[in-house]
Amino acid sequence: MTPTRRCVCPGSFDPVTHGHLDIIARATTLFEEVVVAILHNPAKRGTFEVPRRVAMVQQALPQELADRVRVESFGGQLLVDVCRQVDAGAIVKGLRGGTDFAYELPMALMNKHLTGVETVFLAGDPSLEHVSSSLVKEVHQYGGDVSALVPAEVLAALDELG
Ligand code: PNS
């Protein structure tokens, strides 16, 4: 099998956090191209419309990564089909701890079973271990300060929610 040049960083990104951005940036040190794939997770009720999620990731990406990272949304599709569509041989995911691993492992094994696509797990930055989109939204909703955990455009979008 030819080694892959391109990976997919999949997720709901509802909204993107500094935890996601750390994993995307580190994926560019391993792969020539990174496709950030914004997918619907049937287990989660969405907060932001998908085009807004795409825009927030694009705005938050550092300029130096812009030509090697593209952000796209996909609907009603398996992640393995997204990988085929964009010709990516690997999926990159961040792990904050054992709970993430327990959630991610069956998906990684299923994706491998379906098409042979590999999943690469990166150890999340320990300083961001507590950061998830859902916790950020909840804390912000009740007036907590999440400004160090999300990019400025996400903070503004959270403020708009009220
Ligand atoms: O950020 P999330 O919500 O943890 O991301 C989960 C996501 C969207 C990557 C996962 O639900 C997914 O891969 N959805 C696409 C549909 C699919 O392929 N499901 C089978 C996974 S084995």
Side-chain angles (χ1 to χ4, degrees), residues 104-155:
E104 296 290 348
L105 182 63
M107 293 201 286
L109 293 172
M110 179 60 83
N111 289 330
K112 178 90 170 73
H113 166 81
L114 290 170
T115 63
V117 69
E118 296 287 0
T119 298
V120 176
F121 290 123
L122 299 183
D125 180 339
S127 72
L128 299 170
E129 197 179 321
H130 55 301
V131 181
S132 68
S133 302
S134 53
L135 263 189
V136 159
K137 285 185 284 194
E138 182 178 327
V139 170
H140 181 272
Q141 185 184 355
Y142 293 107
D145 181 5
V146 294
S147 57
L149 311 180
V150 292
E153 38 285 307
V154 169
L155 195 60

Side-chain angles (χ1 to χ4, degrees), residues 10-13 39-42 44 77-79 93 103-104 107 110-111:
S12 309
F13 300 97
L39 290 139
H40 174 64
N41 181 344
K44 294 181 184 170
Q77 238 169 312
L78 286 173
L79 177 56
K93 281 260 177 164
Y103 170 70
E104 296 290 348
M107 293 201 286
M110 179 60 83
N111 289 330

Side-chain angles (χ1 to χ4, degrees), residues 15-59:
V16 67
T17 68
H18 283 320
H20 293 126
L21 292 166
D22 173 56
I23 297 299
I24 294 166
R26 288 163 59 198
T28 67
T29 69
L30 300 172
F31 296 91
E32 287 175 26
E33 289 178 23
V34 176
V35 178
V36 177
I38 301 189
L39 290 139
H40 174 64
N41 181 344
K44 294 181 184 170
R45 212 173 135 251
T47 300
F48 293 102
E49 297 292 337
V50 168
R52 186 87 193 267
R53 297 184 209 173
V54 171
M56 286 191 281
V57 180
Q58 281 168 337
Q59 287 160 8

